Amino acid sequence: MSPVGGTSSDMPAAPRRTGTYDARSGSVTTDDGVRLHYLEAGSGPDMLLVPGWSQTAAQWRHQIDHFARTHHVVAVDHRGHGDSDRPDHGYRIARLANDLHQLVHGLDLNGIVLVAHSMGCSVTWSYWDLFGGDRLARLVLFDEPPVLIRQPYWPDGLADRVGALYDLAVIAEVVTGLRAPGADAESLSAEFLDGMWSPAAPEEDRRWVLARNLLLPREYAGRLLLDNVVQDWRDILPRITVPTLVLGGADSLIPTAAARFTASAVPGAALRILEGRASHFAFWENPDAFNREVRAFLDAPAAADGPAGWA
């Protein structure tokens, strides 16, 4: 029997926040028959919000609320995540990139500002690898190293420069804990997520995000995590040809070196390091600061001769 995730009706209520957050639900169906759920709001230029590993479209609520004032905002649930279908196949970065491409064409999005968090950056880099900049106008990449696993043959200092923070043995232990029969995958997931918050994060926020994460069955989460961590996207970064903002968090478990390396490798990219509640979930914990940096990036003109002119 396939693993079963939770349902939206099982979820704790989302923590209350000010704002309108009035998004519509929709779906597209991929070429392998998987229904992908998305939230959308607003009108104007297209903005696509791409969540990370086990994260969901609903976790972008503060960005949807803010940017829907000026943009047509779409936030996607990857296959298996959130309110999308949970097939027993396709939990690979390349397949998620293909899904994203099909959603882009299914909704006829153009001139897209793509905002990606964590593993969503890997999905974005895979999208660029497979489809180039098809329909993309600008990128915002938040808190993901281009390589996650330290390689034993690397020269001294390289792992720290790229922000590769895991040894393969550590990730293998996490994946085993997610996939092994009888393992307490829910407790492991809670522990794994706990390091992504600042100490000041409210308990209700932590519980809600954990519940959102558990909508992705842990067997599938383990498959996808393993596929993500073995990737090396450094060869993609110099090929990006649209204006790009790279964001890091001063309080994140992801070293700020990862953002600095990525920004140095993408031609003309701008770099901003968030401060104050600047955890891996800074877009949730300090949305004003996150949104302010993205808004400034959107308001900056892109040079006609390429991204280097505006950074």
Side-chain angles (χ1 to χ4, degrees):
M1 180 179 293
S2 298
V4 178
T7 65
S8 294
S9 60
D10 299 327
M11 298 286 297
R16 290 186 178 274
R17 292 289 186 273
T18 58
T20 56
Y21 186 58
D22 185 17
R24 307 174 295 277
S25 286
S27 66
V28 297
T29 301
T30 65
D31 58 6
D32 62 340
V34 177
R35 183 188 58 84
L36 297 177
H37 171 262
Y38 62 84
L39 296 172
E40 68 175 337
S43 60
D46 291 321
M47 173 179 282
L48 180 58
L49 307 177
V50 183
W53 174 79
S54 283
Q55 314 302 318
T56 69
Q59 289 168 247
W60 289 110
R61 61 180 293 171
H62 304 304
Q63 287 66 51
I64 296 172
D65 186 52
H66 177 84
F67 290 104
R69 304 169 193 171
T70 55
H71 286 71
H72 170 229
V73 182
V74 175
V76 62
D77 282 327
H78 300 299
R79 66 174 58 211
H81 295 62
D83 295 315
S84 289
D85 286 348
R86 298 173 178 79
D88 191 29
H89 62 276
Y91 297 99
R92 301 176 184 86
I93 298 299
R95 178 67 242 194
L96 300 191
N98 196 349
D99 289 348
L100 197 67
H101 191 247
Q102 292 183 35
L103 178 136
V104 162
H105 281 260
L107 298 181
D108 196 24
L109 306 181
N110 284 284
I112 301 164
V113 176
L114 190 154
V115 182
H117 168 235
S118 194
M119 186 201 73
C121 297
S122 295
V123 174
T124 303
W125 294 325
S126 183
Y127 183 107
W128 198 280
D129 193 29
L130 295 170
F131 310 110
D134 184 34
R135 303 201 178 197
L136 303 181
R138 295 188 183 225
L139 302 180
V140 178
L141 306 171
F142 175 53
D143 224 30
E144 179 77 347
V147 191
L148 278 160
I149 295 295
R150 296 169 174 261
Q151 302 298 327
Y153 58 85
W154 281 354
D156 290 346
L158 179 57
D160 291 335
R161 287 200 302 276
V162 302
L165 67 164
Y166 296 120
D167 292 322
L168 187 56
V170 172
I171 290 297
E173 184 177 343
V174 173
V175 170
T176 298
L178 292 170
R179 301 183 66 180
D184 188 355
E186 183 170 335
S187 294
L188 175 63
S189 299
E191 182 180 354
F192 198 62
L193 286 172
D194 197 50
M196 300 180 184
W197 295 98
S198 76
E203 183 60 28
E204 65 171 337
D205 288 19
R206 295 172 188 258
R207 288 198 307 269
W208 183 73
V209 167
L210 175 61
R212 296 300 305 174
N213 275 243
L214 293 176
L215 291 173
L216 173 64
R218 298 296 84 184
E219 160 68 18
Y220 303 161
R223 292 187 210 171
L224 182 57
L225 178 63
L226 183 60
D227 188 74
N228 184 42
V229 300
V230 298
Q231 306 292 336
D232 184 341
W233 303 106
R234 285 176 294 168
D235 64 311
I236 302 299
L237 303 182
R239 295 163 48 196
I240 293 174
T241 57
V242 297
T244 300
L245 170 64
V246 182
L247 293 170
D251 306 316
S252 176
L253 80 165
I254 303 294
T256 56
R260 297 181 193 281
F261 180 90
T262 298
S264 70
V266 175
L271 170 69
R272 301 291 184 270
I273 303 299
L274 302 174
E275 303 280 350
R277 304 285 299 276
S279 68
H280 192 56
F281 289 144
F283 64 98
W284 178 272
E285 289 201 69
N286 192 352
D288 289 344
F290 185 93
N291 294 346
R292 183 168 56 249
E293 293 294 354
V294 176
R295 176 66 68 185
F297 169 65
L298 297 181
D299 290 343
D305 58 350
W310 66 270

